[in-house]
Every structure is written in C-alpha cells, then in structure tokens.
Amino acid sequence: MSKVTDLVKRLFIGRALRSTQLHEQLLPKRIALPVFASDALSSVAYAPQEILVILSLAGISFYHFSPWVALAVVVVMLTVVASYRQNVHAYPSGGGDYEVATVNLGPNAGLTVASALMVDYVLTVAVSVANGVDYVGATIPYVAEHKPLVAIVIVVLLTLVNLRGIRESGAAFAVPTYAFMFAVLGLVAWGGFRVLVLGDELRAPTADYQIIAEQSDLTAFAAAFLILRAFSSGCAALTGVEAISNGVPAFRKPKSKNAASTLLMMGLVSVTMFIGIISLGLASGVKVAEPSVAFRDVLIDGRPAGPDYYQQPIIAQVADAVFGGGSLPFFAISAVTALILFLAANTAFNGFPVLGSILAQDRYLPRQLHTRGDRLAFSNGIVILAAAACLLLWGFEADVSRLLNLYIVGVFVSFTLSQIGMVRHWTRHLATEEDPRVRHRMHRSRTINFFGGVMTGVVLVVVLVTKFTHGAWIVCVAMPVLFLMMKGIHGHYENVARELAVDEDTELTASMLPARNHAIVLVSKIHKPTLRALAYARATRPSKLEAITVGVEGPEARALQEEWERRGIQVPLKMLDSPYREITRPILEYVKSLRRRSPRDVVSVYIPEYVVGHWWEHLLHNQSALRLKGRLLFQPGVMVISVPWQLHSSDRLKGRPEPFAPGSARRARPAAAGPEAAGPDATGPDAVRDEDVKA
C-alpha cells in the first residue's frame, strides 16, 4: 500500500527535492510576473464591467460617470504600486504587509493584516475560478449546469500544479498569462487605431439594447452613493498587488530590485489594459446589467431579453466590436481570458502559503505550515487554501456576483495598515539619518506612503459602506474569528514554552537522577518477545525489576506461574487480580500505587510488541498495548518502553527506503531507531494478551 501511494504521489507531484536545491526554485522576472501578477492582470476581465454594471442601476445615462470612476481607480492603483515599491525595498524578507504592520504598529495590527490577507487569498481563488467557469459555461452547457463541481475540480488541478513547486507552476502558467497580456494589449492597440486614426465606428453586440433603470430620480446623495459603489467595485482591479511584496524571497538576486521592477511592470500593464477596455467599451456602446436581473432589465427591440438571455462579458463584446464576432482573434481572446481567470487563483496559491509559513514561524499558526514539502513548496498551506476555497465555492454555488461582494474588503484593510506602518517606518529612520541625500529619498518615500494610506483608507471606508449589506459583513465576521484563533494558538505556544523553559534551578534538579528506577515487564505468556523484554529490562540495570501479569482466567494464570517457576526465570512474577476481566485498569492501579509509595521513583513499563508486515495484521495485534500506552503516557513519573519483536511477515519491509513525507527534505532523518521506534503505528499486536504466537 505504501509503495502504491508513494508511486501515485511521485506521479502527480514529482520526485522529492533536496533542501540544497532551494536556490533552483528562485524565479527570474519573466517567470515571476505571471506567478505573482496573474490576479492583478486578470482583474481587467471583470473590474471595468463591474463599474458599468453598478452605474446601469441608474440607467445608461450614468455611464458618462464611468471615465471619472475609472480614472479614480487608476490613480489609486498607481499610488498603491508606488507605495509597494517602497515596501519591497524596506522589508525584503517576504513578510509583506504583515511584517510592516507588526514591526511599526504592533502585533495586533500585524494579526489584523494577516487575517485580512488570508480571507482575501481564499476569496481570490473562489472569485477567479468562478469567473472563469462563467466564461467557459457560456459555450459549454454542462459547465454552466454544474458550476460548483467544475469550479472545485479546477481548484484541485491548480493545487496539484502548485504542489509540484513554485518554479514549475510558474513555467506552466507563464505562456497563458503572457498570451492574455499580448491579446488584450493587441485588442486595445488595434481598437484605438481604428477609432482614433481610421475613424471607424465600433459597434458592440449590445450597442442597440436598452436598460431599464432600477433606481430613477435619484437624489444627489443617492447618486453619489451609487457612484462610490461603482468605484468600490472597480477597485477589484487592485487585488493581487500585495502578492509581490509577500513573495520577495522567491525572486532571484537582487531580490528587492527584481521585485520592484516586476511590480512596476505589472502596474503599467494593468493600468493600460484597464483604461483601454473601458474606453473601447464606451466607444462601442457596450451595455451590461446586473446578471440576476439582466433578463428583465435589458430590452432588445423594446422587449425584455427573457430568461434565455446570456450577457457577454465586456472583453468579449469589445473583441466582437473590434475584430468581429466570428473571427479567429475573437475566439482567441475569449479563450485566453477564461484561462487567465483560472490562473489568477495562482497568485493566492503563492501568497497564502508563504504568509502561513511566516505566521507559523511566529507561532500564530500550527508549526506544520512552516514545513516545506517534497518539492520545497509549503504544501500544507497550499492544501488548506484549496480546501477553504472549495468550501466557499460549494457554499455560494460558484456565483460570482455573490462572491464579489465579499471581495477586496480584506485587501484594503491590509493596504491601509501597511501604508500607515510605512509612514512610521520612515519617520523612525529620519530621526537618526543625517545624510541629506538619504533623508531626501526617505521624505519622498514617506510622502508616497502617506498619500497611499489616505487613498486606500478612503477606499476602505467606501467599500465597507457600500458593500456591507451586500455580503461584506461576512468578511467583517471572518476576520475577527481568524484574529482570535491566531491569538489563541499563540497563547498556547507561549504557555507551552514557559512550561518547558529551563531556568538554573530547574536545570540542577533535572540533571539529578531519580531516587530509584522501578522496572516492570508486562507478561501475557512465556514466549520469545517476553524473554527479549526481560533481557532488555535487565540490561538497563534498574533499581528493582519485576514481571507483571493480569490473572483474567484462573487456570491460565496458574499454568503461567508454574511454568515461570519451572524455567527458573530470575525475575519475580507478580499476578494482578482482575475479577472483571480487565487488563488496563489493574496495571494502571498498580503503577499508581508504586508512585504513591515512592513519589521520587521512576516507574519504567516495558511492553513487548510484534512488528508485522501487512496492514491487516495491525488490526489483529497490539490493541491492548495501544490502549495501555495511551493511558500510561498521562501518568507523571512513568516511562513507557516498547520492545519490538519482528515477525516473519515484516521481512518484506526490510531494506525498503523510507518514503518521503512533507518536510522530510528539510528535516534530518534519525540515524537509528531504538526500542521506542516500534511504536503503535509501526508495530503489530499486543504481546501482553495475544494468544496466537507460540513460544
């Protein structure tokens, strides 16, 4: 069974890598861009559309506000990109927003950022995959009918690719990401050339449609609120910007410089595509409405579109207007757009595990998240992210509209606290820096971060106000829950550390031997495992040694006593009475009585156990030993020693290489296994009560 599972693991994940090969997993800029920027780049597939969808609630007349809303989004995006370029230089360790907030604002601010980012990473996977399924579902009816199932399958596939290592996942995703970039930039360039140079009139498929305004005759306040809501939805274009600051350690040297260059490249490309798509959409007369009511509010030739109406995404409509609906470029753009939406989830698959590893190192999450797997990726974090995203997709039925309302709250919490932290960072360094040129750079950086903090803070307030009742309240609940969970984990680790800490007094007492070592060998019958356990116990030279058996059946107990005396075994045999045919309780009571009589004595319990070679043999042996050990381990001053006896069936496992486990590439393996190595998960039967092995 172990060979089969190991073969399957190697097939899907690949051979294990040595820790010394970690440098081979570092990314050049050309691979780092698709790895860390796919989320931000893919947002142009839905962020411009979300602006128009919200504005359409007040009718097509409100579309004339969209250029200003888009401009505001671009200003925020460029500000955030410029701010994060300061972050990657100041904090290149990979902690990103969490490290910035923790160092400059305190642990609670850092945990707030961490909880916000963790929620946002899960939502990034869910939203991106659900959106990609929508694109595919437009042409494949089966996908549209089984959206949650298909979305979960896509998440599983992405998980397997990422478990193979960050470099392999980057290489796999590089071609589709670059194809999307060149396709959209080509669309924008050719569309702009046709409009501005050739003077052509572009006509989207929905150019002649009408939209019924759900909210007409708005007051000035209501209109402003609607515009702010459109702005908050358009700010989805900023998601993923923070991923590069969390992934600086994955870059090749010089890490900070390469990360900053990649961040700038991502920002410029995203802004260009964002402006180009929304501009061509307005020029070609694109009409979009809220998906849930589009069949009713969209009028075709004066009549409602009807329940069979499918609303094409904005990119598809622009591609139709620029290249023609049946052209090869149209289908190519539709295909790479659907693919990039799936791959946008990869940004979270690279950011979440790294953040989880740092939090685990700081003892805010289980230590297993800091362990690298066979392929030197943080496998446990990848699996947890995938599981959470699958639950979200199943619970929300992969509905993009419902998921999008939960989106971007967390990321703007981290944006804002990170920028405030950077302002304090520069202020602290300015207090000690005397070089005029360095002080000038610090003043400039502090100004950028201050402006970024103000902008992202305003956006955060707008997002919370406009989206709270539409689902953002779920994030506002999830973040405190994660915060409290991490505080609880940290408190547990701190309590354990204090309890195990060695001070001078403890070191003196711990170095002293116990008063005596009272050794007990458990006996069910006289056979080879029992004799080996007796010999091993005598070799340890305890202060007192005795054998213990439980007299369940009278005739068998007397026969054992007689054989013991006939063989002349030099260790005294004590018979414990068990009127209710129990085994564990009499032994526990006897051990407790020894401890009560001599509290300074150590009681060592030697348990003979069988080592077997087949999985089904584990079910037939050692069950009493497992129960007894489970109880004895909670008794203070009691040592439990397993003495293994290898049965012939275990010969098939001799010499077999140990399969790699997650983290084995990082941890050194034990050089040799002692008696304790034959523990409950490596041994077979309980030699204490087994009757099927002959002496």
Side-chain angles (χ1 to χ4, degrees):
M1 286 296 292
S2 180
K3 287 183 178 179
V4 172
T5 55
D6 192 55
L7 178 63
V8 172
K9 189 177 182 182
R10 297 283 78 83
L11 178 65
F12 284 105
I13 298 178
R15 64 180 181 85
L17 300 177
R18 295 179 178 273
S19 298
T20 53
Q21 295 177 274
L22 182 60
H23 70 282
E24 299 174 8
Q25 297 295 302
L26 298 181
L27 304 176
K29 287 180 287 187
R30 67 179 184 279
I31 301 296
L33 181 64
V35 167
F36 292 108
S38 56
D39 182 23
L41 294 174
S42 69
S43 63
V44 301
Y46 53 85
Q49 178 170 314
E50 288 303 310
I51 293 175
L52 299 181
V53 164
I54 300 302
L55 292 177
S56 68
L57 295 176
I60 297 176
S61 61
F62 265 60
Y63 275 15
H64 72 274
F65 290 112
S66 57
W68 303 105
V69 174
L71 181 61
V73 172
V74 168
V75 169
V76 175
M77 181 182 290
L78 293 176
T79 303
V80 170
V81 168
S83 299
Y84 272 93
R85 280 172 57 83
Q86 317 305 315
N87 289 29
V88 297
H89 286 295
Y91 295 93
S93 64
D97 294 340
Y98 164 71
E99 183 179 2
V100 172
T102 300
V103 172
N104 298 288
L105 303 177
N108 287 336
L111 280 186
T112 302
V113 168
S115 60
L117 284 175
M118 290 170 70
V119 170
D120 194 72
Y121 281 137
V122 175
L123 284 166
T124 295
V125 176
V127 170
S128 299
V129 172
N131 213 340
V133 170
D134 272 351
Y135 269 80
V136 177
T139 55
I140 305 177
Y142 178 84
V143 173
E145 294 170 4
H146 302 85
K147 284 175 56 179
L149 177 62
V150 174
I152 290 172
V153 170
I154 296 298
V155 172
V156 172
L157 293 176
L158 290 172
T159 303
L160 291 176
V161 173
N162 280 278
L163 287 174
R164 295 184 65 88
I166 186 173
R167 185 175 179 85
E168 287 205 21
S169 65
F173 298 154
V175 173
T177 303
Y178 281 117
F180 173 76
M181 288 171 52
F182 290 127
V184 175
L185 289 175
L187 169 67
V188 170
W190 180 243
F193 179 78
R194 286 188 59 187
V195 172
L196 300 177
V197 178
L198 301 181
D200 293 343
E201 181 184 1
L202 303 181
R203 300 288 293 176
T206 58
D208 297 324
Y209 293 179
Q210 295 176 304
I211 295 179
I212 300 175
E214 288 193 9
Q215 302 172 9
S216 56
D217 300 327
L218 294 176
T219 64
F221 175 80
F225 184 84
L226 188 68
I227 293 170
L228 287 175
R229 186 180 167 193
F231 168 70
S232 67
S233 295
C235 284
L238 277 75
T239 55
V241 173
E242 80 290 344
I244 290 180
S245 68
N246 292 333
V248 176
F251 283 81
R252 286 182 179 174
K253 295 181 179 180
K255 296 178 180 292
S256 295
K257 181 180 178 181
N258 288 336
S261 300
T262 305
L263 189 59
L264 179 61
M265 191 185 315
M266 178 202 70
L268 293 177
V269 173
S270 296
V271 166
T272 303
M273 293 194 299
F274 181 83
I275 294 175
I277 291 298
I278 199 166
S279 299
L280 290 176
L282 293 174
S284 61
V286 168
K287 306 290 192 311
V288 287
E290 192 77 40
S292 59
V293 296
F295 71 95
R296 183 191 66 205
D297 290 351
V298 174
L299 302 180
I300 304 176
D301 297 329
R303 294 189 300 272
D308 296 332
Y309 173 67
Y310 169 70
Q311 181 171 261
Q312 280 189 312
I314 187 171
I315 288 186
Q317 294 199 44
V318 170
D320 187 299
V322 173
F323 296 116
S327 63
L328 181 62
F330 170 80
F331 287 113
I333 289 174
S334 299
V336 296
T337 301
L339 191 56
I340 192 64
L341 285 169
F342 289 135
L343 302 187
N346 198 56
T347 297
F349 275 105
N350 286 287
F352 183 95
V354 173
L355 177 61
S357 168
I358 294 170
L359 288 167
Q361 190 173 18
D362 292 346
R363 299 195 289 191
Y364 286 109
L365 286 178
R367 292 170 180 171
Q368 292 87 339
L369 291 177
H370 187 55
T371 302
R372 290 186 184 272
D374 290 355
R375 303 290 296 180
L376 299 178
F378 295 109
S379 306
N380 293 327
I382 292 172
V383 172
I384 289 175
L385 172 65
C390 288
L391 286 174
L392 206 59
L393 287 166
W394 189 263
F396 284 82
E397 299 179 341
D399 189 326
V400 178
S401 299
R402 293 167 62 190
L403 288 169
L404 207 59
N405 287 323
L406 282 65
Y407 209 22
I408 78 172
V409 174
V411 75
F412 274 97
V413 170
S414 63
F415 282 169
T416 304
L417 290 177
S418 172
Q419 300 314 306
I420 295 173
M422 286 301 296
V423 171
R424 295 194 64 176
H425 167 84
W426 298 122
T427 301
R428 188 174 67 252
H429 283 275
L430 280 168
T432 57
E433 183 60 55
E434 297 180 356
D435 189 328
R437 288 180 298 178
V438 176
R439 287 182 62 85
H440 174 72
R441 288 199 300 269
M442 288 183 174
H443 276 295
R444 182 188 61 192
S445 298
R446 184 173 68 170
T447 302
I448 293 173
N449 287 127
F450 176 78
F451 184 65
V454 171
M455 291 292 292
T456 55
V458 171
V459 175
L460 175 61
V461 173
V462 171
V463 169
L464 284 174
V465 170
T466 57
K467 291 195 170 188
F468 187 83
T469 58
H470 295 273
W473 63 269
I474 297 176
V475 177
C476 297
V477 171
M479 284 173 50
V481 169
L482 279 174
F483 180 92
L484 294 175
M485 181 193 73
M486 289 190 286
K487 292 284 281 188
I489 292 173
H490 186 73
H492 168 77
Y493 280 136
E494 290 294 305
N495 291 336
V496 171
R498 283 193 296 268
E499 188 174 342
L500 301 181
V502 178
D503 54 29
E504 293 185 4
D505 295 334
T506 306
E507 191 172 358
L508 286 174
T509 57
S511 63
M512 296 173 58
L513 292 174
R516 294 192 310 166
N517 179 13
H518 192 130
I520 297 174
V521 178
L522 301 186
V523 176
S524 63
K525 63 190 308 180
I526 300 176
H527 49 29
K528 293 178 181 179
T530 297
L531 297 179
R532 172 177 286 184
L534 288 169
Y536 180 72
R538 293 180 66 181
T540 61
R541 299 183 181 276
S543 304
K544 183 178 180 180
L545 174 62
E546 60 181 342
I548 297 296
T549 188
V550 180
V552 176
E553 300 290 342
E556 291 185 5
R558 287 192 295 272
L560 176 62
Q561 185 78 48
E562 292 172 1
E563 185 179 2
W564 194 273
E565 295 174 357
R566 181 175 58 81
R567 290 179 177 272
I569 299 175
Q570 299 300 312
V571 179
L573 175 65
K574 183 181 289 294
M575 187 79 63
L576 302 180
D577 187 36
S578 180
Y580 295 101
R581 300 162 304 283
E582 293 180 294
I583 298 173
T584 303
R585 186 185 298 273
I587 296 174
L588 282 175
E589 293 299 329
Y590 182 69
V591 170
K592 290 179 182 178
S593 68
L594 294 178
R595 289 284 300 156
R596 283 194 296 268
R597 287 200 300 267
S598 302
R600 291 187 60 191
D601 286 4
V602 168
V603 179
S604 299
V605 182
Y606 294 82
I607 304 178
E609 296 189 40
Y610 302 151
V611 179
V612 298
H614 300 93
W615 65 269
W616 52 268
E617 292 178 289
H618 288 268
L619 305 176
L620 304 178
H621 303 290
N622 273 356
Q623 301 308 310
S624 297
L626 292 176
R627 290 193 298 271
L628 183 58
K629 283 198 291 186
R631 299 292 298 277
L632 288 173
L633 290 174
F634 288 95
Q635 301 299 321
V638 177
M639 310 300 166
V640 184
I641 300 96
S642 296
V643 184
W645 180 269
Q646 291 79 15
L647 297 178
H648 290 307
S649 65
S650 66
D651 292 344
R652 58 186 290 271
L653 303 180
K654 291 180 180 178
R656 189 185 66 174
E658 179 186 353
F660 282 97
S664 58
R666 180 178 65 88
R667 297 190 297 267
R669 295 184 183 178
E676 195 62 34
D681 56 350
T683 62
D686 180 6
V688 178
R689 292 305 306 164
D690 279 341
E691 306 294 339
D692 58 343
V693 178
K694 303 300 181 182

